[in-house]
Structures are given as C-alpha cells and as structure tokens.
Amino acid sequence: MSVTTATDTAAADRAAAGTSSQARLTARHVSKAFWVEGEQDPTIALQNVSLTIDEGEFVCIVGPSGCGKTTFLNLVAGLLPYDEGSIEISGKRVNGPGRDRAVVFQQSRLLPWRTTFDNVLYGMQLHRRFSEAEMQKRAQDYIDLVGLHGSERRHPAQLSGGMQQRVNLARALATDPEILLMDEPFAALDAQTREFMQAELLRIWQEAGKTVMFVTHQIDEAIFLADRVFVFGTRPGRLRAEFEVPFERPRRLSIKRSPEFLALTDQIWSLIEEEASRAGFMQPAPAESRS
C-alpha cells in the first residue's frame, strides 16, 4: 500500500519544473507611464528596468513608496500593459494574465461563502488544467503543506489573518504556476505573526520549489527571505542596486540579530533613505558637527 504525504504534490510539481538554470523571468528595458487628468505630462512610474530571476530563485524588491515596486509586479502579472521593453516568463512574452503566474496580494481576497478547501479549489477551477480528482488531491496536499490540516471546512471569518494568508498561498500554489508573485502579503499582519509567517514561507517555498518575486517595504523581511534583493529608486522608478544575500539556508529568525545581517540592512536602508531624500519624501539628516 502506498502512503501519500502532504508534500507528494509539491515534490511532483518541483520535479516537473526541472532543474535547468534557465531564467524564469526576464525583463528588458521596461518602462511604464501613467496619465493623470488635468496634468500636461505623464507620471513615469518605471523607466528602463532590466532584471532576471532564475528558476527556483527567491527575489525581493524593496524601495521607497512610489518607486514602482507594485507597478512592476502588476506588469509581470499581466494586470497592466507596459509601454516599452519586454517581459518574458520562460522565454514567452507577457501580454496579459496567464496560467504560468499566480499572485498573492496584500489582502487574502478569499470568497467568504467558500470554505478553506473550496477557496483553494477556486483557482484550479478557473484554470481548468486538472481533473476533478486531481484538484481535490492538490487542494488537500497544499492545505496540509501550509499547515492548515483540520481547517478545511472553516470559512474565512473563522480564520485569523495569518491563516487566511495561508489559504491565499495554498490557492496560488495549487494552480502550479511557473512564478509566484507576492505583493506585501504580510503587511496587514501583526509584527509577531508576520515574523512567524516569514519563516513558514521559507519552509513552504523550499518544499514547493517555486520561483518567487516578493515585494515588500520591510528591509529585514527582504533579506531574511531572498537570494537576491533588488532596490528600486524613485522618480522615475528604476533599478538602483542589486544585493546578493550571503546567508546559508535554511535560515532561522535569530539571524536577523547577527552583526552581518544588521550591516546589510543598514547598507540597503542607506540607499532607500538617499532615494527618499532625493524625491522629497524626507529631509536629509544634518551633517555631524566637527570639533
């Protein structure tokens, strides 16, 4: 008799994705502008952004408010058209939403009349990629993977904020996307729950083996989660810098208190502070007086 575990489906998806070093996401010279009624000139949200994300990589994007982080994520998701350049997923040009991408938003956006199980089924039902039996199995496997076994019949109102985001994540993973796009998914959680969810996300990511692009304002969150951190500048939004995260995996939350972690946090914060000052969001600190 075969024994089915919660990670069987994730392992199969990971194996199907292969182990090649092909770039999963490639953005070349991407620009996006918005026209505002009553203003003569457009607002340039992004200008000449080029970057790549490798298969299986976890990348975070940080930057000051208004730097185009979420705009770039929406362009990759196909929810907005880009004006110039190109975005490709596994070599295929992005021209709109597609089944090769799944988005986890700031709010869980669960359907209140559906149970946990039925909410996880929902994305697969829309995609129509799997048989009914496959969908049932995938839903249960990913519910187990995110730690919600026993909550299958609960409705969203019966779940905490952290649990709702777990359902949101399970729903996205169950569709088997090539890349998972996450737009500040823990922003609405309290500080303690947010920390625990960061550690849980790393565990789930390592089990599922997906490529992840994660947008956040929190620098320590980005460093803890990512293989690389992209820092966006503002006015116009652009790629200002890229940092390799040197810490080995698996990572424990306690690494955030290490001198090396704090030094990298300060380095990235200095860039963001410089960008925020240049954009007029904050006044630069006065120079230290010398005796």
Side-chain angles (χ1 to χ4, degrees):
M1 181 181 69
S2 62
V3 178
T4 300
T5 68
T7 59
D8 281 351
T9 299
D13 290 346
R14 186 166 62 247
T19 57
S20 71
S21 58
Q22 176 186 5
R24 183 62 82 190
L25 166 68
T26 304
R28 299 185 182 92
H29 309 295
V30 174
S31 296
K32 176 65 179 178
F34 293 101
W35 290 89
V36 179
E37 186 176 358
E39 296 186 7
Q40 185 175 1
D41 298 318
T43 298
I44 302 174
L46 291 168
Q47 186 175 70
N48 198 33
V49 174
S50 296
L51 57 84
T52 61
I53 300 176
D54 291 335
E55 185 175 311
E57 192 174 21
F58 199 127
V59 164
C60 287
I61 299 176
V62 299
S65 296
C67 71
K69 302 184 298 295
T70 294
T71 296
F72 182 72
L73 183 142
N74 286 333
L75 296 180
V76 174
L79 301 177
L80 291 173
Y82 40 90
D83 299 329
E84 297 177 6
S86 67
I87 298 174
E88 296 177 354
I89 304 294
S90 300
K92 298 177 182 179
R93 186 180 178 94
V94 171
N95 291 311
R99 295 188 299 186
D100 54 358
R101 286 148 284 154
V103 184
V104 178
F105 294 100
Q106 293 183 28
Q107 303 298 324
S108 62
R109 301 189 182 185
L110 302 178
L111 301 177
W113 59 90
R114 284 191 169 226
T115 63
T116 292
F117 194 89
D118 289 340
N119 266 294
V120 175
L121 280 176
Y122 184 64
M124 292 185 286
Q125 291 169 336
L126 291 178
H127 285 189
R128 300 180 181 181
R129 291 179 56 192
F130 307 107
S131 69
E132 182 63 31
E134 287 176 311
M135 288 193 295
Q136 295 283 326
K137 182 180 186 305
R138 293 180 69 83
Q140 187 62 59
D141 283 352
Y142 279 104
I143 286 170
D144 292 346
L145 180 63
V146 301
L148 287 179
H149 183 79
S151 299
E152 291 87 348
R153 299 304 167 194
R154 294 184 182 180
H155 288 82
Q158 298 171 302
L159 302 173
S160 68
M163 294 172 75
Q164 289 182 23
Q165 281 297 57
R166 289 173 188 254
V167 179
N168 191 11
L169 180 58
R171 178 175 59 187
L173 288 170
T175 64
D176 193 22
E178 294 186 26
I179 184 168
L180 186 64
L181 307 172
M182 307 188 74
D183 185 17
E184 298 193 71
F186 307 146
L189 304 179
D190 65 83
Q192 187 179 84
T193 302
R194 182 170 185 156
E195 293 278 307
F196 293 149
M197 284 300 297
Q198 291 166 14
E200 274 294 277
L201 177 58
L202 282 189
R203 177 188 64 80
I204 293 164
W205 167 72
Q206 288 171 322
E207 289 277 358
K210 293 298 179 185
T211 306
V212 178
M213 188 177 84
F214 188 106
V215 168
T216 179
H217 278 93
Q218 192 167 328
I219 299 170
D220 71 329
E221 179 173 70
I223 296 171
F224 178 71
L225 293 173
D227 296 307
R228 288 184 294 152
V229 177
F230 293 119
V231 181
F232 275 27
T234 191
R235 295 190 178 180
R238 67 203 188 284
L239 178 58
R240 172 69 191 276
E242 173 189 333
F243 292 85
E244 296 273 354
V245 178
F247 309 117
E248 293 183 355
R249 299 186 186 275
R251 296 172 187 164
R252 298 176 62 87
L253 287 167
S254 57
I255 197 174
K256 292 186 177 185
R257 300 189 292 273
S258 71
E260 297 82 5
F261 192 101
L262 295 173
L264 183 54
T265 301
D266 286 343
Q267 191 176 359
I268 294 175
W269 172 247
S270 294
L271 272 181
I272 293 176
E273 186 177 29
E274 180 182 322
E275 286 293 320
S277 297
R278 191 182 63 80
F281 297 151
M282 60 182 293
Q283 295 298 315
E288 293 183 4
S289 60
R290 297 181 179 177
S291 56

